[in-house]
């Protein structure tokens, strides 16, 4: 009995250490998943996922005063070339269009979106999305859309979802709009919002 108690104690300590060293992002996300819906930051609730013409779409126009289109384009090309080869991207990620004359870029990305990474348990999904970039003198517009997920790949529970089916306001919340629906919507929505914001903020930094 004493040996069993000691073993349980050691296991508990190991799990505690893993949670603390899991990385700030993943630890924070786990905390969000475990919060009651009323305590989740407003950016994840109603209105947190933008739409255009019925499709989940993140769009942002950056102003870079005095920067010619050629230079804006080169900065964008450098950033998105790195993005499609970065950690968690799969071999399917690539630049589909590189138009130096028209100052346009289209990227097709497929990456691993990690919900949580605990001892003996890794919860993640493949996320696909398209990025369209249009550069001009002093300006750059980025559109991210066609978001979809390939979850539980290779398992009996394998499933494919579009962002419109999983994270859009009309499907993510109960009828009163006070809480998330059941079935994993919360983690898909929170992690997707975080990732889209990360991509757009990092690109903004690149343009400076």
């Amino acid at each position: 009995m004493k040996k069993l108690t000691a073993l349980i104690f050691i296991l508990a300590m190991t799990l505690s250490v893993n949670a603390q060293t899991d990385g700030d992002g993943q630890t924070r996300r786990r905390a969000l998943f475990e919060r009651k819906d009323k305590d989740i930051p407003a950016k994840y609730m109603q209105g947190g996922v933008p739409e255009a013409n019925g499709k989940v779409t993140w769009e942002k126009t950056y102003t870079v005063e005095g920067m010619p289109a050629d230079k804006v384009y080169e900065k964008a090309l450098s950033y998105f070339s790195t993005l499609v080869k970065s950690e968690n991207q799969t071999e399917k990620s690539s630049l589909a269009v590189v138009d130096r004359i028209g100052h346009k870029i289209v990227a097709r990305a497929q990456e691993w979106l990690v919900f949580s990474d605990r001892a003996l348990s890794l919860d993640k999904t493949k996320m696909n999305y398209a990025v369209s970039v249009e550069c001009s003198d002093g300006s750059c517009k980025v559109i991210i859309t066609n978001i979809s997920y390939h979850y539980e790949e290779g398992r009996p529970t394998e499933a494919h979802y579009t962002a419109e089916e999983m994270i859009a306001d009309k499907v993510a919340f109960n009828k009163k709009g006070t809480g998330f629906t059941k079935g994993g919507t919360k983690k898909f929505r929170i992690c997707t919002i975080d990732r889209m914001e990360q991509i757009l903020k990092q690109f903004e930094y690149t343009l400076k």
Side-chain angles (χ1 to χ4, degrees):
M1 183 66 180
K2 290 182 178 180
K3 290 183 178 180
L4 178 59
T5 302
L7 180 61
I8 293 173
F9 176 78
I10 292 171
L11 179 59
M13 290 297 292
T14 301
L15 292 174
S16 176
V17 171
N18 284 338
Q20 294 173 15
T21 59
D22 188 29
D24 291 342
Q26 291 173 6
T27 301
R28 183 189 63 79
R29 284 197 295 271
R30 287 208 305 271
L32 281 172
F33 301 158
E34 293 164 1
R35 281 191 193 182
K36 293 182 178 179
D37 293 347
K38 63 186 177 73
D39 298 324
I40 292 177
K43 74 172 185 175
Y44 301 114
M45 301 304 286
Q46 291 275 9
V49 172
E51 294 187 34
N53 299 319
K55 291 185 67 66
V56 171
T57 303
W58 268 265
E59 179 177 336
K60 186 169 184 178
T61 299
Y62 303 86
T63 299
V64 280
E65 293 182 6
M67 189 179 294
D70 286 346
K71 188 172 182 179
V72 177
Y73 174 81
E74 289 301 327
K75 285 180 175 289
L77 181 61
S78 175
Y79 176 79
F80 288 103
S81 294
T82 300
L83 174 71
V84 297
K85 297 178 182 177
S86 61
E87 185 179 6
N88 283 345
Q89 297 288 330
T90 76
E91 69 282 354
K92 291 186 178 181
S93 297
S94 66
L95 295 183
V97 175
V98 178
D99 181 358
R100 294 181 180 276
I101 297 176
H103 302 122
K104 297 179 181 179
I105 301 166
V106 175
R108 306 291 183 187
Q110 182 185 79
E111 65 180 58
W112 286 105
L113 188 65
V114 178
F115 300 131
S116 64
D117 186 0
R118 312 185 190 202
L120 306 179
S121 177
L122 175 62
D123 188 15
K124 63 181 182 178
T125 185
K126 281 182 178 176
M127 179 173 67
N128 304 282
Y129 56 93
V131 184
S132 175
V133 184
E134 295 184 10
C135 306
S136 57
D137 291 336
S139 179
C140 184
K141 182 168 72 173
V142 177
I143 299 174
I144 306 177
T145 191
N146 293 335
I147 302 168
S148 64
Y149 311 93
H150 189 176
Y151 188 52
E152 299 281 326
E153 186 176 16
R155 300 181 180 181
T157 51
E158 180 175 342
H160 296 262
Y161 307 105
T162 64
E164 292 73 33
E165 294 172 325
M166 183 58 68
I167 69 171
D169 283 356
K170 63 184 178 182
V171 298
F173 299 99
N174 58 30
K175 291 182 179 180
K176 294 182 179 180
T178 56
F180 287 95
T181 55
K182 296 180 180 180
T185 296
K186 183 188 295 187
K187 65 185 180 184
F188 279 84
R189 186 176 172 96
I190 288 174
C191 288
T192 302
I193 290 174
D194 282 348
R195 179 57 176 150
M196 295 300 111
E197 286 188 350
Q198 181 185 43
I199 291 171
L200 294 172
K201 285 181 179 179
Q202 287 178 343
F203 181 56
E204 182 176 17
Y205 179 79
T206 299
L207 288 175
K208 292 181 179 180

